[in-house]
């Protein structure tokens, strides 16, 4: 009995090893097609059974979306978002792709798409802080509401400089919407300054983790 179990365990490990090799080769081929910009061949390759078995459809579509974003191919990006939305997504996947869609279309001030993806985040995400942030950005940048100005300014009093850049950006946009360009430029500059400091600090912390020797 012990011998049979050992043989079965060996077979499982061997199959997993072989499957990981196939997965890596498939991913390499997909990346190559995306780098070549051959989306037709990419879609065709994704339709093969071995690809479907090795790489989840959601993962393959996100790879395609990332490539289109790197090339700034707006038409392809919109098309790929639609393809992803046509998949049978989990709640987490729907929340993730909705968040990506929201922040992609937000700088373009595409109200229709932002409304759609903000709703997707609200309905699918379990991250309450993220949902509140998305709602704030939607209200200020798309709906051009200014009712939260005092609340944003009050929040900043209890935040460190590293934490303020999101509020400062929203405050700058509210002042911009109100036509107060002096205050808008002031808070926009502060937001950029504090965001750069925050990213630098996070990068240093991450580098420190990687450089720290094992005990």
């Amino acid at each position: 009995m012990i011998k049979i179990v050992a043989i079965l365990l060996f077979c499982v490990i061997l199959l997993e090893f072989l499957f990981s090799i196939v997965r890596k080769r498939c991913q390499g081929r997909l990346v190559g097609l995306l780098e070549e910009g051959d989306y037709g061949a990419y879609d065709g390759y994704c339709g093969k059974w071995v690809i479907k078995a090795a790489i989840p459809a959601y993962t393959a579509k996100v790879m395609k979306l990332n490539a289109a974003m790197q090339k700034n191919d707006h038409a392809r990006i919109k098309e790929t978002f639609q393809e992803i939305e046509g998949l049978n997504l989990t709640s987490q996947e729907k929340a993730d792709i909705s968040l990506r869609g929201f922040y992609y279309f937000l700088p373009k001030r595409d109200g229709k798409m932002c409304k759609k993806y903000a709703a997707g985040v609200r309905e699918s995400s379990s991250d309450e802080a993220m949902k509140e942030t998305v709602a704030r950005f939607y209200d200020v940048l798309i709906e051009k509401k200014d009712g939260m100005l005092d609340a944003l300014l009050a929040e900043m009093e209890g935040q460190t400089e590293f934490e303020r850049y999101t509020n400062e950006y929203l405050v700058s946009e509210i002042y911009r919407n109100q036509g107060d360009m002096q205050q808008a430029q002031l808070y926009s500059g502060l937001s950029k300054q504090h965001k750069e400091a925050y990213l630098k600090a996070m990068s240093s912390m991450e580098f420190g983790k990687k450089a720290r020797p094992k005990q």
Side-chain angles (χ1 to χ4, degrees), residues 19 24 29 33 39 45 48-49 58 60 78 81 85 96-97 107 111 114 119-120 128 133 158 187 197 214:
F19 191 68
K24 288 180 180 179
R29 176 58 176 158
L33 290 171
Y39 293 101
Y45 194 56
K48 294 185 177 182
W49 71 268
Y58 178 76
K78 291 188 68 174
F81 268 121
E85 291 159 25
D96 290 344
I97 203 62
C114 284
E128 295 300 324
T133 299
Y187 280 98
K214 294 181 179 180

Side-chain angles (χ1 to χ4, degrees), residues 162-176:
F162 286 164
E163 298 171 322
R164 293 179 184 175
Y165 70 90
T166 297
N167 278 33
E168 288 168 337
Y169 175 75
L170 290 172
V171 168
S172 73
E173 288 298 313
I174 289 175
Y175 280 125
R176 192 182 307 279

Side-chain angles (χ1 to χ4, degrees), residues 19 52 62 73 86 116 137 144 157 167 182 203 206:
F19 191 68
K52 291 181 178 180
V62 169
D73 187 339
K116 169 185 173 182
F137 272 92
K144 300 190 181 302
E157 294 180 4
N167 278 33
Q182 183 176 356
S203 178
E206 186 63 27

Side-chain angles (χ1 to χ4, degrees), residues 27 29-39 42-43 58-78 80-81 84 100 104:
Q27 288 176 335
R29 176 58 176 158
L30 289 174
V31 169
L33 290 171
L34 289 173
E35 289 177 345
E36 295 168 7
D38 194 341
Y39 293 101
Y42 181 91
D43 291 337
Y58 178 76
T59 300
K61 292 296 183 183
V62 169
M63 288 173 63
K64 182 180 177 182
L65 178 63
N66 290 339
M69 285 184 168
Q70 288 178 358
K71 297 177 187 297
N72 199 27
D73 187 339
H74 183 63
R76 187 73 61 180
I77 290 168
K78 291 188 68 174
T80 307
F81 268 121
I84 293 174
R100 292 193 63 170
Y104 174 75

